[in-house]
């Protein structure tokens, strides 16, 4: 049996006729940029996430970049986040001339540690922090109740990196609706992925939405008249048309991911060498990835590969140890939980179209490796 980490072909077969029809309609219209599908998708995503406004942009990375800039983040500003995340979280901060300030993660959820965040702010009372950017990693929301309380106490903005978490919820509130702004990614491997790159900014603030809309078209409201220095970051009509179709199936796909996760939990329950994903009480997780902490991770991955089972490491090098962030002055050992997660975690197949026997084959192979 061969089990891929991710296989989008099954999803494509389900939506093929609808998607090709929608793409044909865009091509027939010859309207490719910021037309009807983009406007409709923005309304639909806003409604889905429970916010007043959504602004479509060219990628998830651009969503972070433009959201931060729309909130006034600029040169010298300090933005708190974690080093255990995809590069664009901190990369976007740096591209604005701002400074990423890292705090460690919770070892159970891999999201920002509330204790570490509070410790930093108490220790650096005289430092002015502009914003905190929690990452809803692997499809589970960070503790936004605590984060918003802390942010209010210290007068800092909150921007949600929800790139992996559309549909996830914390105490009934959807990812992307709990901060000043939220940032979504529609990269093809995401739970809601387009046929290329795409992203979205979500917010309840009209001023933030209006600024983001200007920034994505070189800082202009009226063509050729520029109020700001902006970017070229527009989601195209073809991608928007595909996303509108996929959005209809998103909750059903999330349900399938949850069922697949339940098979892993049942099959690997009690295996001491494997720590399965912890879902915090009050959270609804959408399992963008199914990430387990395991003993002898690299050897296990080689064994799974020999059994034709796909896996991945998210992420092998924490950001504070990346060469491009050497100037920030961090060193190995500064964020032990992030470093330990980078050494011990492995992502297993979880996509909706997986068959139960395929998941059991993965689980049985893991048990075989550990001699169980």
């Amino acid at each position: 049996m061969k089990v891929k980490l991710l296989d989008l072909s099954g999803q494509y077969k389900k939506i093929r006729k609808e998607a090709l029809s929608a793409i044909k309609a865009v091509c027939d219209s010859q309207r490719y940029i910021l037309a009807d599908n983009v406007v409709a998708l923005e309304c639909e995503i806003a409604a889905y996430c429970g916010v007043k406004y959504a602004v479509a942009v060219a990628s998830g990375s651009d969503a972070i970049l433009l959201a931060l800039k729309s909130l006034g983040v600029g040169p010298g500003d300090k933005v708190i986040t974690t080093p255990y995340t995809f590069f664009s979280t901190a990369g976007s901060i740096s591209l604005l001339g701002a400074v990423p300030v890292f705090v460690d993660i919770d070892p159970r959820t891999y999201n920002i540690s509330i204790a570490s965040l509070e410790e930093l702010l108490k220790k650096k009372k005289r430092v002015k922090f502009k914003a905190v950017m929690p990452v809803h990693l692997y499809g589970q929301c960070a503790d936004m109740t605590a984060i918003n309380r802390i942010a209010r106490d210290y007068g800092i903005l909150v921007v949600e990196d929800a790139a992996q978490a559309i549909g996830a919820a914390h105490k009934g509130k959807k990812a992307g609706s709990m901060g000043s702004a939220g940032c979504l990614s529609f990269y093809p491997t995401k739970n809601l992925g387009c046929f290329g790159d795409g992203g979205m900014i979500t917010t309840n603030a009209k001023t933030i939405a209006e600024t983001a809309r200007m920034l994505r078209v070189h800082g202009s409201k009226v063509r050729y008249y520029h109020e700001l220095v902006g970017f070229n970051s527009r989601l195209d009509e073809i991608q928007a048309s595909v996303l509108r179709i996929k959005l209809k199936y998103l909750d059903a796909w999330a349900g399938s991911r949850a069922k697949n996760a339940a098979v892993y939990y049942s099959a690997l329950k009690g295996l001491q060498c494997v720590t399965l994903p912890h879902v915090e009480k009050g959270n609804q997780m959408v399992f963008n990835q199914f990430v387990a902490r395991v003993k002898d991770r690299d050897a296990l991955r080689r064994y799974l590969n020999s059994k034709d089972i796909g896996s991945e490491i998210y992420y092998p090098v924490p950001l504070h140890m990346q060469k491009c962030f050497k100037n920030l002055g961090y060193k190995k050992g500064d964020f032990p939980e992030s470093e330990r997660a980078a050494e011990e975690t492995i992502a297993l197949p979880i996509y909706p179209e997986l068959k139960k026997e395929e998941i059991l084959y993965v689980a049985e192979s893991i048990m075989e490796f550990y001699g169980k």
Side-chain angles (χ1 to χ4, degrees):
M1 189 181 293
K2 184 173 183 177
V3 184
K4 295 180 180 179
L5 174 68
L6 177 64
D7 186 354
L8 293 172
S9 60
Q11 182 188 98
Y12 176 63
K13 287 176 184 176
K14 183 177 181 67
I15 67 163
R16 183 178 183 275
K17 289 183 179 179
E18 289 180 278
L20 293 181
S21 177
I23 291 171
K24 181 180 182 299
V26 172
C27 294
D28 288 344
S29 76
Q30 290 294 290
R31 300 181 68 212
Y32 295 108
I33 303 295
L34 297 182
D36 294 346
N37 279 292
V38 169
V39 173
L41 178 67
E42 290 177 334
C43 293
E44 290 160 4
I45 292 291
Y48 182 83
C49 292
V51 296
K52 293 179 181 178
Y53 309 99
V55 181
V57 293
S59 69
S61 299
D62 277 5
I64 298 173
L65 187 72
L66 271 67
L68 290 171
K69 190 169 179 63
S70 296
L71 285 162
V73 175
D77 288 333
K78 294 177 173 59
V79 179
I80 304 167
T81 191
T82 76
Y84 188 64
T85 176
F86 182 62
F87 180 80
S88 64
T89 306
S92 298
I93 297 169
S94 292
L95 284 172
L96 292 172
V99 181
V101 179
F102 297 126
V103 294
D104 215 347
I105 59 169
D106 182 314
R108 301 168 304 162
T109 64
Y110 310 110
N111 286 328
I112 191 168
S113 164
I114 301 304
S116 296
L117 175 60
E118 288 186 304
E119 182 182 358
L120 171 73
L121 292 169
K122 288 176 182 177
K123 186 178 180 180
K124 303 286 186 178
K125 284 184 178 180
R126 295 184 180 180
V127 176
K128 177 61 179 175
F129 294 98
K130 183 77 171 183
V132 58
M133 185 155 55
V135 183
H136 302 324
L137 206 63
Y138 305 144
Q140 175 166 210
C141 290
D143 186 349
M144 293 303 296
T145 301
I147 291 166
N148 281 325
R149 172 183 55 78
I150 294 167
R152 285 193 299 270
D153 289 345
Y154 286 88
I156 57 180
L157 301 167
V158 179
V159 179
E160 298 173 72
D161 181 345
Q164 300 180 7
I166 187 169
H170 170 72
K171 296 184 178 180
K173 294 183 178 180
K174 289 281 184 71
S177 71
M178 295 174 279
S180 298
C183 309
L184 305 176
S185 170
F186 302 134
Y187 186 75
T189 61
K190 296 295 192 290
N191 288 20
L192 180 62
C194 55
F195 287 179
D197 267 316
M200 191 78 74
I201 299 166
T202 56
T203 184
N204 283 307
K206 185 178 181 180
T207 54
I208 294 171
E210 289 179 343
T211 303
R213 291 187 199 284
M214 282 195 291
L215 288 172
R216 72 179 175 183
V217 286
H218 298 290
S220 67
K221 285 183 182 178
V222 180
R223 196 175 187 185
Y224 303 131
Y225 293 83
H226 303 270
E227 299 179 38
L228 304 168
V229 176
F231 308 84
N232 177 6
S233 182
R234 302 169 297 206
L235 182 70
D236 69 72
E237 279 288 293
I238 287 176
Q239 302 304 339
S241 71
V242 170
L243 288 165
R244 293 186 67 201
I245 291 165
K246 286 192 172 188
L247 183 59
K248 297 184 295 185
Y249 299 98
L250 182 59
D251 286 343
W253 289 337
S256 295
R257 287 174 178 269
K259 289 179 181 177
N260 291 344
V263 177
Y264 278 122
Y265 283 116
S266 177
L268 295 171
K269 184 180 179 180
L271 189 60
Q272 293 183 350
C273 298
V274 177
T275 301
L276 298 172
H278 168 79
V279 181
E280 199 71 15
K281 186 178 179 181
N283 278 355
Q284 178 182 328
M285 187 173 183
V286 293
F287 293 100
N288 189 76
Q289 288 95 16
F290 188 89
V291 176
R293 191 188 293 270
V294 298
K295 182 180 179 182
D296 300 325
R297 191 269 310 278
D298 294 342
L300 171 62
R301 193 176 184 211
R302 289 192 294 270
Y303 183 76
L304 293 177
N305 186 57
S306 74
K307 305 279 281 186
D308 280 331
I309 296 171
S311 64
E312 187 54 272
I313 309 301
Y314 302 110
Y315 299 92
V317 183
L319 298 183
H320 69 288
M321 295 171 62
Q322 296 284 355
K323 183 178 180 180
C324 64
F325 289 134
K326 187 176 180 180
N327 65 305
L328 297 177
Y330 296 112
K331 63 183 184 304
K332 184 177 175 62
D334 283 346
F335 306 105
E337 293 299 345
S338 296
E339 294 169 27
R340 191 163 71 91
E343 294 172 354
E344 297 179 355
T345 57
I346 185 171
L348 303 173
I350 190 68
Y351 60 93
E353 294 78 18
L354 273 175
K355 297 179 176 64
K356 184 176 181 180
E357 54 265 32
E358 292 174 320
I359 302 170
L360 290 175
Y361 175 65
V362 176
E364 289 163 4
S365 298
I366 292 171
M367 290 187 283
E368 286 173 7
F369 174 78
Y370 292 115
K372 300 296 183 182

